[in-house]
Every structure is written in structure tokens, then in C-alpha cells.
Amino acid sequence: MFSFTVTAIAFGVVFLAELPDKTALAGLMLGTRYRASYVFAGVAAAFAVHVALAIAAGSVLTLLPHRLVQAVVGVLFLAGAAMLLWKKDDGEEEVKPPADQSFWKVSGAGFMLILVAEFGDLTQIMTANLAARYDNPVSVGIGAVLALWTVAAIGILGGRTLMKYVPLRLITKIAAAVMAALAAFSLYEAIAG
């Protein structure tokens, strides 16, 4: 059953966690060199694969006892908040540009970049946590995919402009605060449960 509330929560958490990530910068770099729609097609496909894998992992977690799942999810949200607050900026990663401007070359380069860079990333872990937390894989999946696609579009079409107006540290702190709140709620449910 679809839940707009769960979708909105998943969108907010994943959006804030992904915005300061290096893949937004990589998308920006590819978007400045190649046709934006080609880059977005590849990046969007890779994010869809990642969300599907995360939802599958989160759905497996729902088979465990509810209190145990809430405790694990709470600890993982706390770890995610800590990772956001204390992660070091790696700088921009080197991206090899495709040799030509064809759709398949450009979208393939975007797909491979995101597929490799995002595997096991914080947002994939958060998506699995949300799927386990709310036991609503469709709503979580839609929210997570829309959030990742939105960040990719922002990165490809105008990431530098956004970063001029919204400090990256503020975005990171807001994402960490949201994850800490979700951790506290999950841990409370595990204890009170």
C-alpha cells in the first residue's frame, strides 16, 4: 500500500544525505561536458538499480523480530549521522570522459560511474534502513529514487549555483540531525516496544 508520508520521509532523508555526496559533483562535471539528458539517463538508471538492491535488503530485515530490527535500524541511523558529521571531503574524483557524444557512450559513462561509486554508499544503507523501518518498500523506493534523481538533476544542471546559496556544511548538518532523530525514534520503539 502506498503511503505519501513514508515517501516524503524517504525523499527527505535520502535527498539531504545525497546532496553533499561526491556523485553530485561527478554529475555536475559530466553535465558540463556532455548533453545533460544523456548523462541523466545513465545516472538515473544506476540509482534505480541501487534503490532496488537497498529495498530488497531492507525487506529481508523485516523478517526479523520487530524490536531487533528497530534497534539495528536505530544504530545504523546513528552511524549514518556520525558519518555525515565527521566525514572528510575527498575532493573531486577523476572521471574519464567518454570518447564521443553518442547517447550510449555518455549515458553508459554516467551509469558506470554511479553504479561503482554508490555501491554500499550511505544513501543505499539509509534506503535499506527506511525499507526495514516502515515495511513499505514501494513508498520508500519511490521516495528514494525521486530524491536521488533530484540530486542528480541538481548536480547536472546547476550544482554550483545551489552551493553558492546553501552552504554544504548546513546541508550536511540538517541531514545528520534528521538521521539522529530517526535513530532516536527507532531506538525508543525498540526499547519501549
Side-chain angles (χ1 to χ4, degrees):
M1 177 157 79
F2 178 77
S3 166
F4 182 76
T5 303
V6 172
T7 299
I9 290 169
F11 181 91
V13 168
V14 173
F15 179 83
L16 289 171
E18 185 65 22
L19 198 55
D21 199 56
K22 63 190 174 290
T23 53
L25 297 174
L28 171 67
M29 196 168 87
L30 286 172
T32 59
R33 294 181 185 171
Y34 303 102
R35 181 177 277 176
S37 61
Y38 292 4
V39 174
F40 183 77
V43 168
F47 277 136
V49 169
H50 277 285
V51 168
L53 292 173
I55 294 297
S59 295
V60 168
L61 287 176
T62 62
L63 301 175
L64 299 172
H66 182 70
R67 290 177 72 161
L68 175 63
V69 171
Q70 294 298 37
V72 169
V73 167
V75 169
L76 289 174
F77 273 129
L78 275 178
M83 285 173 61
L84 278 175
L85 287 174
W86 291 301
K87 84 174 184 178
K88 302 279 189 241
D89 187 17
D90 300 347
E92 291 185 35
E93 290 193 359
E94 197 65 34
V95 178
K96 286 191 171 183
D100 64 44
Q101 293 279 331
S102 76
F103 172 80
W104 293 111
K105 294 274 186 179
V106 174
S107 63
F111 180 83
M112 290 308 296
L113 171 71
I114 298 302
L115 194 66
V116 171
E118 289 292 306
F119 197 80
D121 192 56
L122 176 63
T123 53
Q124 192 175 34
I125 294 167
M126 290 299 106
T127 302
N129 287 345
L130 289 166
R133 166 87 177 84
Y134 292 107
D135 195 17
N136 192 332
V138 172
S139 299
V140 170
I142 290 170
V145 164
L146 290 176
L148 293 168
W149 288 355
T150 302
V151 171
I154 289 169
I156 292 167
L157 298 175
R160 286 190 185 146
T161 304
L162 176 67
M163 295 305 170
K164 286 180 186 176
Y165 299 108
V166 181
L168 188 59
R169 297 190 99 173
L170 176 62
I171 294 167
T172 302
K173 286 180 182 180
I174 291 170
V178 169
M179 284 186 214
L182 287 169
F185 188 69
S186 294
L187 290 172
Y188 171 77
E189 281 193 341
I191 294 167

